Amino acid sequence: MLYINCPHCGMRSQNEFSYGGDASVKRPELNKEVSDQEWDNFVYNRKSLRGKHLELWQHISGCRQWIKVERDTATHEIFKTFKADEEVA
Amino acid sequence: MQKYSIFNLVKNAFSNHQNWDLAWKDPTPKEEYDVVIIGGGGHGLATAYYLAKEHNITKVAIIEKGWIGGGNVGRNTTIIRSNYMHDENGLFSEFGMDLWRKMSQDLNYNVMFSPRGIINLAHSDAQMNAYARRGNSMRLNGIDAVLLNREQVKEIIPMADFSDNVRFPIFGGLMQPSAGTARHDAVAWGYARQADSMGVDIIQNCEVIGFDVSAGKINGIRTSRGNIKAKKVGLCVAGSTNILAEKLNMTLPIETHLLQACVSEPIKPVLDNVVTFGAGHFYVSQSDKGEMVMGGDLDGYNSYAQRGNLPTLQHVLTEGIAMMPFLSKLKMLRTWGGIMDMSMDGSPIIDKTHIEGLYLNCGWCYGGFKATPASGWTFAHTIAQDRVHELNAGYSLNRFSTGHLIDEKGLGTKTWIS
């Protein structure tokens, strides 16, 4: 069982959360020319890192907020959680 | 190579089976090979075998980080099927079914292929219509498919829940009678033994730590046991694909995820077929030892752990109990996990890459085991001829940018959408 510290609600079990994928992926800027390659990278291509991975989760059975979680994909250890709009150093 | 036969079995009995040849050797890496296959799983071993057998390329090495057959070929639920709707998947898998039927003879190794049939259960009229459509598509591609009504399903699997007050009543099902199971380890060992006998070097405990690429062309690999030159290199590493891709500065439409399976304690024969639950993701068959072999959804988040968590297992088994209530009386014997190369459209990739001499075989999602022979066959063709075969032409790497996705189930890495 993973325990995720929701920055809004505190420590909760993974049952309350839904996974949202790599949080480092940035949508191409609006009102700018976007190449096929850029769209490709945004929609499909993923690094899928082994080790420290910044990812999105949604506290779907809680506050329903999207949050960012820094987690190790090899050990499942969770290092830190952030609010969705919080900048991650 | 010693042939496995009843005569050799009797002959060796006189020496207490102490004098059998080793099934494969343990060679030290040579300086150079024509083809290096990275990954000694089912697909890698099959690729090496078909390179030697079909294309007469025997200066081949298989480089395996751990031991052969220690990854997903030893961790799956052994289901073999070709019940796909899309032409690319159907024709590819049905080609594989032919190879499965001949495999034990072909490899001189009993892979215990058991065409016991697979039944996908339907739980609504809409699902019956969808199955009728898929069944028709299958039959147009020469794949056997039978649409069963509720009574016919009840005759085959009376232990499923046919009571009146269930949340997901069984309306019927789609059956592929020629589908089945096989002994998964034997597939790896059979391919390894034959490949080895034709001159392929199977090099275990050898980790790839880098690639030697210059001017857009692959020249070799760097490993924990020294540098190896190679004219061509094939990547066949399933859940580790992204790790090697990073070393090649490639970003792929793949995420590595965790998939669990489990078996119950052994019980007397009760289930002849493979059965899948249609209102969720759960499948079950009974092994020759009597264990109920079960599996279902991904754990749902990126993982390289090869070790799952209980919430997903509980979710999957809840579906199982909804389908076959007697499963709740069984004790769980073992659970395990493997790491899957989940592609973004749920279909695999067997293709050349932008680097000359580098070939890619990945994205097998939930269905890697049954694809073993067809994947090896087409990947060997792609490497040997330096062009894709028509069977794997649809499994291209650039289909994501061109929009030619093969979204059989609309299921890729994003299980939370389903």
Side-chain angles (χ1 to χ4, degrees), chain B residues 188-230:
Chain B
W189 298 333
Y191 274 125
R193 177 168 160 267
Q194 286 292 343
D196 175 273
S197 80
M198 288 189 282
V200 173
D201 279 358
I202 299 173
I203 299 158
Q204 304 180 73
N205 298 311
C206 179
E207 183 175 358
V208 173
I209 48 182
F211 295 86
D212 179 9
V213 180
S214 60
K217 192 178 178 313
I218 195 113
N219 302 312
I221 57 170
R222 294 193 295 277
T223 77
S224 56
R225 292 172 68 177
N227 295 349
I228 300 172
K229 282 189 225 152

Side-chain angles (χ1 to χ4, degrees), chain B residues 84-405:
Chain B
Y84 287 103
M85 188 174 82
H86 287 313
D87 291 346
E88 294 90 343
N89 291 333
L91 295 171
F92 177 89
S93 307
E94 186 57 17
F95 176 78
M97 292 301 293
D98 262 346
L99 296 175
W100 278 112
R101 286 186 273 267
K102 293 183 285 199
M103 190 182 289
S104 290
Q105 294 298 326
D106 197 22
L107 299 181
N108 178 228
Y109 206 105
N110 187 3
V111 298
M112 296 165 75
F113 176 55
S114 161
R116 56 183 66 188
I118 185 168
I119 301 172
N120 302 133
L121 294 180
H123 306 276
S124 67
D125 283 325
Q127 204 167 16
M128 283 298 282
N129 289 342
Y131 280 178
R133 181 181 178 221
R134 173 148 65 96
N136 284 330
S137 299
M138 286 165 62
R139 292 173 74 127
L140 285 171
N141 281 333
I143 305 163
D144 56 327
V146 186
L147 194 65
L148 306 171
N149 63 28
R150 180 178 162 94
E151 292 312 310
Q152 288 167 314
V153 173
K154 195 172 179 179
E155 223 163 87
I156 302 172
I157 46 165
M159 77 297 277
D161 196 345
F162 287 93
S163 56
D164 294 330
N165 57 350
V166 291
R167 173 68 183 83
F168 301 107
I170 294 167
F171 276 55
L174 181 66
M175 183 172 188
Q176 185 193 1
S178 68
T181 59
R183 171 91 173 92
H184 52 355
D185 298 317
V187 176
W189 298 333
Y191 274 125
R193 177 168 160 267
Q194 286 292 343
D196 175 273
S197 80
M198 288 189 282
V200 173
D201 279 358
I202 299 173
I203 299 158
Q204 304 180 73
N205 298 311
C206 179
E207 183 175 358
V208 173
I209 48 182
F211 295 86
D212 179 9
V213 180
S214 60
K217 192 178 178 313
I218 195 113
N219 302 312
I221 57 170
R222 294 193 295 277
T223 77
S224 56
R225 292 172 68 177
N227 295 349
I228 300 172
K229 282 189 225 152
K231 296 188 184 80
K232 295 176 176 182
V233 174
L235 249 60
C236 241
V237 292
S240 301
T241 303
N242 290 96
I243 298 173
L244 290 185
E246 195 189 354
K247 297 183 200 296
L248 289 156
N249 289 323
M250 289 168 75
T251 317
L252 298 172
I254 286 191
E255 273 180 11
T256 295
H257 280 255
L258 177 59
L259 183 62
Q260 298 190 73
C262 61
V263 292
S264 74
E265 58 186 324
I267 53 172
K268 286 188 176 179
V270 57
L271 182 63
D272 299 328
N273 317 92
V274 182
V275 181
T276 74
F277 185 52
H281 195 175
F282 171 83
Y283 46 87
V284 60
S285 63
Q286 190 168 20
S287 75
D288 296 317
K289 285 183 282 184
E291 304 151 334
M292 305 304 286
V293 187
M294 299 169 281
D297 263 328
L298 297 176
D299 270 35
Y301 42 84
N302 291 40
S303 175
Y304 286 90
Q306 290 189 315
R307 189 181 67 246
N309 272 323
L310 281 176
T312 305
L313 207 54
Q314 187 179 25
H315 168 73
V316 166
L317 293 173
T318 306
E319 296 173 47
I321 291 163
M323 183 174 94
M324 291 182 179
F326 84 96
L327 293 175
S328 70
K329 307 290 181 203
L330 301 181
K331 290 188 184 69
M332 180 95 75
L333 195 64
R334 291 192 302 281
T335 79
W336 64 94
I339 52 172
M340 308 295 126
D341 35 341
M342 302 302 293
S343 69
M344 291 294 164
D345 62 354
S347 297
I349 295 161
I350 307 178
D351 204 357
K352 298 161 64 170
T353 64
H354 70 283
I355 298 169
E356 196 188 328
L358 182 78
Y359 305 85
L360 192 60
N361 179 338
C362 61
W364 290 99
C365 300
Y366 300 93
F369 176 67
K370 59 126 201 299
T372 304
S375 162
W377 196 95
T378 53
F379 197 41
H381 181 279
T382 305
I383 293 172
Q385 312 275 336
D386 194 35
R387 62 184 165 85
V388 295
H389 189 267
E390 62 179 20
L391 282 169
N392 64 315
Y395 293 158
S396 62
L397 178 56
N398 73 355
R399 70 176 183 270
F400 298 90
S401 38
T402 61
H404 295 85
L405 303 191

Side-chain angles (χ1 to χ4, degrees), chain A residues 1-2 14-15 18-21 40 44-50 53 57 71 73-76, chain B residues 242-243 251-256 258 300-305 307 309 311 344 400-401 405 416:
Chain A
M1 177 79 81
L2 302 180
Q14 81 180 77
N15 289 331
S18 152
Y19 183 66
D40 226 20
Y44 296 118
N45 292 336
R46 295 293 179 267
K47 289 206 169 83
S48 194
L49 301 173
R50 186 180 197 278
H53 188 237
W57 290 75
R71 187 180 60 95
T73 57
T75 64
H76 294 172
Chain B
N242 290 96
I243 298 173
T251 317
L252 298 172
I254 286 191
E255 273 180 11
T256 295
L258 177 59
Y301 42 84
N302 291 40
S303 175
Y304 286 90
R307 189 181 67 246
N309 272 323
M344 291 294 164
F400 298 90
S401 38
L405 303 191
W416 67 89

Side-chain angles (χ1 to χ4, degrees), chain A residues 65-82:
Chain A
Q65 293 291 317
W66 284 91
I67 61 168
K68 288 182 201 161
V69 177
E70 195 179 54
R71 187 180 60 95
D72 193 311
T73 57
T75 64
H76 294 172
E77 182 184 354
I78 292 172
F79 304 105
K80 221 172 163 206
T81 57
F82 309 86

